[in-house]
Amino acid sequence: MRIKAELETRLRGLGAEVRPRRSLAEHTSLGIGGTTDEILLCRYETIPQIMRLLDDEEVPRRFLGGGTNVLVDDGELSFAVLHLPTSGPGMRVEGNAAYLDAAADLGATVTFCAKHDLGGMEGLIGVPGSVGGALRMNAGAYGTQIGPHVREVEMYRAASGEIETVGGSDIRFDYRHTSFAAEDVVLRVKLELPSQPFQEILAGIKVCNQKRRSSQPLAQKSAGCIFKNPPGGSAGRMIDELGLKGHRVGDAMVSDRHANFFVNTGEARGADMLKLIDDVRERVRGAYGVELENEVIVWRN
Ligand code: EPU
């Protein structure tokens, strides 16, 4: 998707920056994805105007956070990508409250809060991605989910076309799912976290890091778990039991370390990864009668 020069000028007037022909393979943890123009939303207050302008100009778009839970199609993409600036996102602590920019790195915020003697987030230490992405997905690991800590979210709400501040209790946080709409853009969040001495939090962080290192393919390109766990079950265990570790389509492969991680071992294309996902889903359906639901978000062209 190419942004026309005239539109680019108007977007620039609203404080946005257009970066032409970005390769999403370079901006996603899977290292997969075609090219498109990126619109960097540098000024939060102009986002409603920018969205109206893009509506008027009929520009299809998707919002990219940390790019760690998304599988993007190949080739020239049919949509532009919106992104928040990632340089120096704000993090601030006041009492038991942490005020975080959505673009902040999740892991960095866990350690930042820990240094201010605020715990409760240790389980999320190795979860890659941004705070905004973690919020959208209600990221979780080792018994911690971000949702219960959320007190306030400042967001662009697509339904109203305005920037609004929403209370944490007005957002539904389920297992890897929330009530945010696909076109909403999370901008800032306030978390409330329990006081805990730094050394104690650090010990918890070390345990989680150790568990993660021993069971997940952290050195390889992946999007974390591909499927949600079915109620009461484990997608990874089922795929493993079917002997599918190492199963591949082109350079897309079921990790031989954790069967719910699918890795890009080289030059995997989106089509390869999609085929691998379909193959595995079908095998699990055949063997267990369980329909696995994607956790990874798929952006088809
Ligand atoms: N297992 C296997 N083979 C495998 C993988 C797992 O037998 O290849 C077994 C394990 O031995 C264990 C069970 O399956 O008995 C569960 O495995 P694990 O503890 O690794 O947890 P998981 O359910 O596979 C979930 C989250 C992870 C999170 C971990 C740790 C989902 C889909 N996955 O994995 O989150 O890091 O728990 O809390 O909920 C993610 O969401 O992207 C993600 C990686």
Side-chain angles (χ1 to χ4, degrees), residues 161-223:
E162 301 296 341
I163 290 178
E164 295 178 12
T165 300
V166 188
S169 55
D170 293 327
I171 302 162
R172 231 190 39 246
F173 291 100
D174 299 322
Y175 167 60
R176 300 292 195 275
H177 184 266
T178 60
S179 53
F180 292 111
E183 302 78 22
D184 291 345
V185 181
V186 174
L187 301 173
R188 293 188 185 96
V189 58
K190 174 187 174 186
L191 303 179
E192 193 179 307
L193 300 169
S195 300
Q196 208 182 337
F198 175 59
Q199 288 304 331
E200 229 177 272
I201 306 171
L202 201 61
I205 284 177
K206 280 187 181 153
V207 171
C208 293
N209 271 337
Q210 174 53 30
K211 281 191 198 161
R212 197 178 286 279
R213 266 198 302 271
S214 68
S215 64
Q216 300 182 358
L218 303 184
Q220 284 179 292
K221 291 180 182 172
S222 84

Side-chain angles (χ1 to χ4, degrees), residues 1-11 18 37 57:
M1 162 101 219
R2 302 307 312 271
I3 302 286
K4 294 196 191 88
E6 191 210 338
L7 176 57
E8 181 177 347
T9 309
R10 293 171 71 189
L11 287 167
V18 175
D37 286 359
E57 298 290 323

Side-chain angles (χ1 to χ4, degrees), residues 69 127 140-143 175-176 212 215-216 223-229 233-238 240-241 245 255 257-261 295:
N69 195 44
V127 176
Y142 306 112
Y175 167 60
R176 300 292 195 275
R212 197 178 286 279
S215 64
Q216 300 182 358
C225 285
I226 286 287
F227 300 111
K228 295 182 186 181
N229 282 334
S234 160
R237 186 184 297 138
M238 289 191 285
D240 192 356
E241 280 171 2
K245 278 183 171 169
S255 161
R257 206 170 166 80
H258 191 300
N260 198 10
F261 279 63
E295 176 180 313

